Each structure stands twice: as structure tokens, then as C-alpha cells.
Amino acid sequence: MAKNIQSLERAAAMLRLLAGGERRLGLTDIASAVGLAKGTAHGILRTLQAEGFVEQDAASGRYQLGAELLRLGNSYLDIHELRARALVWTDDLARSSGESVHLGVVHQQGVLIVHHVFRPDDSRQVLEVGAMQPLHSTALGKVLSAYDPVARGQAVENERPALTARTITAAAEFEAVLELTRERGWAADVEETWEGVAAVAAPVHDRRRMPVGAIAVTGAVERICPTGDVRSELVAAVRDCARAVSREIGAGRF
């Protein structure tokens, strides 16, 4: 029989400890509870903190569960179920908007496209399911970064390469975009990722109001924002679609 890895068992014991009882615990309490020397416990906590599974309060020095662990728990909502719940609504959105629709989730410091509805015309199109999009420049990525603390950390801390002349790369300007996204509930990408292409996206939440994905309408700039601004009816349609999918997975009314 294969032996268990002791360090993983100890880390799991710490996470279970932090998940129950007091919300925050000090190093001494954690080490004592799991039967470890303080130095050993501290090393494991530092590793968990680096991976985002644990956070340390700057004022008290106490530890609590981190955003990454919460996000992983959130992903218990299976991607296939999310896609299944979104099928009807995204089909309707593509039909009513006349544009492509994408459903994306946070994955490996980017946005994974888990569902793609073709633009309802006879043009040649390529299925993008399984493709990865950047967090910092796409409408999907901005929405996920605005609402998911782990995605935000990745987008803010990692390099934001200029993909076009319009890509926002400065940290302060990008943070302002995320704040605006949270205020209005949607994000846009106007030639920030691909020249000639624009998109508008809104978040999908679960029953705990945690972001589990985002939905975007994508098309040519001249159709998405013919006057320079994203068409208001497209914004409304995308937000309505995202709310409908959120209700499908138990989020209630938004």
C-alpha cells in the first residue's frame, strides 16, 4: 500500500483546523492543535500562504483560510454543469445579438473558454472551446478579475503585455478599470486583445454570490460599438443573460 505524504497530511490538518472553530488562529495555537513544532508549522503555513490557501492578518499575525481555497471550493460547481445551465440562455443571447457568445472561467492565470456559441450567420468560424484568453485585456478576464480575488491578484501582480496599442498595462489604470467594472457590473474590451474585435461581458454568480464564470458577446468593433461606446442594448442583454444563468445555479435575484 502506498504511504501517505506526511507534509500533505499536516497541511490538510491545518486547513481543516482553520475551516472550523475560530475564524483566525495564531501560529502557536495551530502548531499545538496539529502536534507540530512551531518552526515546522510555520514552514507549512508559509507554503500554504504562498499558494493562496491561507492568509495572514497583518495586524494580529493570525491565519485564516485564503481566497484560493475558497475559489477551489467554489469550483465544486462542475464546469460541465455550469455549461449545461448556460446552454439555453447563451443560445438565445447569440440569436438576439447576432454575435458570438463565450462562457469563460478562471483557469491557470487566464480565462478558459468552456462554451462558445457561433455567430448566427453563414460565415466561417472556429470553435474556441478550450482556448485560453488573458485576464488583463479581455472583457471576460476583466470581469473575473473584478469579482474573483484570486484572479485579481494574478492580473495585478503578473505582467500585463501590450497585445495591441489599446491594451491597458499600467497597474493604476488597470485597478481603475476593475473598480469601474464592479461599479457598473460589466466590462468591455475594445481592440485591447485583438485589433478590430470588441466584447462586453458580465459575471455569473453562484448561490453564495461568488463568481463562477463570465459571459461575453464578441464581434467586430463596428457592430459592437459603432459610435465608439458599446451598444447599450448589448450591455443589457449580456447582463440579463448572466443574471439568468446565475439564477439557474441558485444565486437568486440580482
Side-chain angles (χ1 to χ4, degrees), residues 92-139:
D92 287 346
L93 180 58
R95 187 164 45 252
S96 64
S97 67
E99 302 292 349
S100 298
V101 174
H102 297 89
L103 173 64
V105 299
V106 177
H107 180 67
Q108 294 182 349
Q109 302 186 12
V111 182
L112 173 67
I113 303 301
V114 298
H115 184 50
H116 175 198
V117 184
F118 283 166
R119 184 171 63 254
D121 60 20
D122 295 328
S123 63
R124 184 176 180 180
Q125 300 173 62
V126 177
L127 185 66
E128 296 181 29
V129 172
M132 292 291 294
Q133 294 186 2
L135 285 169
H136 73 288
S137 63
T138 60

Side-chain angles (χ1 to χ4, degrees), residues 121-208:
D121 60 20
D122 295 328
S123 63
R124 184 176 180 180
Q125 300 173 62
V126 177
L127 185 66
E128 296 181 29
V129 172
M132 292 291 294
Q133 294 186 2
L135 285 169
H136 73 288
S137 63
T138 60
L140 288 170
K142 292 177 192 176
V143 162
L144 292 168
S145 297
Y147 289 93
D148 185 320
V150 175
R152 176 191 170 278
Q154 293 171 346
V156 169
E157 295 168 11
N158 293 342
E159 183 180 358
R160 293 174 297 280
L163 304 175
T164 73
R166 291 175 174 262
T167 307
I168 296 172
T169 59
E173 190 177 358
F174 183 71
E175 288 276 21
V177 168
L178 298 187
E179 183 176 353
L180 176 62
T181 298
R182 287 188 290 270
E183 288 177 359
R184 63 188 185 182
W186 59 275
D189 162 14
V190 181
E191 295 190 287
E192 294 176 49
T193 310
W194 302 281
E195 292 184 359
V197 177
V200 57
V204 175
H205 295 84
D206 69 1
R207 64 183 181 279
R208 293 173 294 174

Side-chain angles (χ1 to χ4, degrees), residues 232-254:
S232 59
E233 65 270 23
L234 276 183
V235 173
V238 171
R239 296 191 70 190
D240 286 346
C241 180
R243 289 192 190 103
V245 177
S246 297
R247 288 193 295 271
E248 284 281 338
I249 58 177
R253 297 187 65 84
F254 272 78

